[in-house]
């Protein structure tokens, strides 16, 4: 039975500092490293071992994957990296402190920017110090200036359908190491969650989520590997 493992990267430096991160490339904290290793140990202990790996272009997700694979004894696995699995682009909010932004714009506005389905944050100004546009890893890619969850879904789902799903359907156990909102996009699709209800779904860092697929590639209920 094909199995999908979703893992959000361990705590990042800007998770710790409570800053909007998006496409900015921050590293894991020590706690994040431990979370990633614990995810790998859990996979090993439960005997749920990936055979094919996907991750984003972002250090926090790549390192989480590598640390988890190392703990699971699977650092040798093939890994495909793609920008479509990146975090949602946080636009002009990138780099700002989430609490300071609430103090300035109010709780309601910040909640809309963070959790509304289709209202993107204000766009990133050209030349912003947090603009990843000139980063060589994004050469040839039309880097967004901001993204809502809806816009994130519009680049995650085609990648899921065309690249990841066929690999899963061939019988592999696939792990995707990604981000709060790129994974929210996938979970929304796989668990058939409405535009309204998806706003309430929080994906914890470093905690593997599992979907078992039947022979028709219909996903079952998602569950946390720690509860299996
Ligand atoms: O990009 C970020 O700041 C986080 O990874 C996710 O942020 P959120 O919880 O505000 O969606």
């Amino acid at each position: 039975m094909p199995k999908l493992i979703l893992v959000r990267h361990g705590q990042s430096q800007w998770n710790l500092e409570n800053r909007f991160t998006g496409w900015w490339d921050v590293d894991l904290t020590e706690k994040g490293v431990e979370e990633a290793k614990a995810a790998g140990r859990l996979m090993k202990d439960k005997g749920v071992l990936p055979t094919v790996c996907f991750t984003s272009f972002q250090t926090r997700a790549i390192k989480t994957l590598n640390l988890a694979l190392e703990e699971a004894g699977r650092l040798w696995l093939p890994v495909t990296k793609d920008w479509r699995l990146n975090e949602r682009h946080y636009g002009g909010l990138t780099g700002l402190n989430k609490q300071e932004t609430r103090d300035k714009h109010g709780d309601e506005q910040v909640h809309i920017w963070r959790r509304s389905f289709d209202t993107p944050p204000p766009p990133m100004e050209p030349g912003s110090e947090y603009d990843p546009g000139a980063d060589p890893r994004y050469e040839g890619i039309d880097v967004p200036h901001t993204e809502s969850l809806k816009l994130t879904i519009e680049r995650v789902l085609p990648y899921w359908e065309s690249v990841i799903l066929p690999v899963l359907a061939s019988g592999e156990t696939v792990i995707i190491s990604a981000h709060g909102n790129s994974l929210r996009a996938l979970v929304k699709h796989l668990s058939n969650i409405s535009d309204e209800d998806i706003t309430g779904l929080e994906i914890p860092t470093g905690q593997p989520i599992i979907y078992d697929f039947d022979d028709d590639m219909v996903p079952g209920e998602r569950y946390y590997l720690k509860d299996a």
Side-chain angles (χ1 to χ4, degrees):
M1 197 157 55
K3 208 182 257 304
L4 176 67
I5 307 165
L6 303 178
V7 64
R8 182 181 176 195
H9 62 80
Q11 185 195 57
S12 76
Q13 190 55 38
W14 281 16
N15 290 147
L16 179 65
E17 293 173 23
N18 201 23
R19 297 168 76 179
F20 294 101
T21 317
W23 278 41
W24 193 244
D25 200 27
V26 296
D27 207 339
L28 298 176
T29 61
E30 270 178 43
K31 181 181 171 194
V33 167
E34 287 313 314
E35 287 173 326
K37 288 181 177 174
R41 279 195 298 275
L42 185 66
M43 292 192 293
K44 191 174 182 191
D45 291 350
K46 298 279 186 182
V48 174
L49 293 168
T51 57
V52 177
C53 316
F54 292 89
T55 189
S56 69
F57 271 5
Q58 299 185 278
T59 300
R60 55 195 188 272
I62 297 167
K63 276 200 174 174
T64 295
L65 178 65
N66 286 349
L67 290 162
L69 290 180
E70 187 167 9
E71 286 292 307
R74 297 234 153 181
L75 206 45
W76 48 272
L77 284 176
V79 178
T80 303
K81 299 178 185 128
D82 199 284
W83 68 270
R84 292 171 187 82
L85 295 173
N86 273 19
E87 181 55 290
R88 165 268 274 272
H89 193 299
Y90 244 130
L93 300 182
T94 307
L96 300 179
N97 179 281
K98 292 182 185 180
Q99 188 52 49
E100 285 169 14
T101 308
R102 272 193 214 99
D103 296 343
K104 190 168 168 195
H105 295 279
D107 287 351
E108 200 182 331
Q109 179 60 69
V110 171
H111 185 72
I112 290 169
W113 283 332
R114 290 185 69 193
R115 290 292 171 265
S116 128
F117 178 64
D118 55 6
T119 307
M124 181 171 267
E125 296 292 331
S128 155
E129 63 176 312
Y130 300 120
D131 185 356
D135 192 311
R137 85 189 81 179
Y138 298 122
E139 205 179 314
I141 292 166
D142 206 4
V143 173
H145 301 294
T146 184
E147 288 182 309
S148 59
L149 179 60
K150 183 168 185 271
L151 291 170
T152 308
I153 289 171
E154 284 173 15
R155 45 112 166 149
V156 171
L157 277 199
Y159 185 71
W160 160 259
E161 303 272 357
S162 64
V163 180
I164 305 178
L165 191 57
V167 173
L168 196 63
S170 74
E172 304 286 356
T173 297
V174 170
I175 184 168
I176 304 176
S177 175
H179 304 263
N181 292 288
S182 49
L183 292 177
R184 192 179 268 132
L186 275 177
V187 169
K188 182 181 188 305
H189 172 69
L190 295 171
S191 293
N192 205 12
I193 300 173
S194 69
D195 297 356
E196 292 72 42
D197 290 348
I198 193 61
T199 60
L201 180 86
E202 296 296 331
I203 298 190
T205 52
Q207 202 54 258
I209 294 169
I210 309 291
Y211 283 96
D212 295 310
F213 286 71
D214 69 15
D215 292 341
D216 298 319
M217 291 311 290
V218 176
E221 288 285 313
R222 73 181 183 284
Y223 57 93
Y224 285 106
L225 184 55
K226 67 177 167 60
D227 300 330

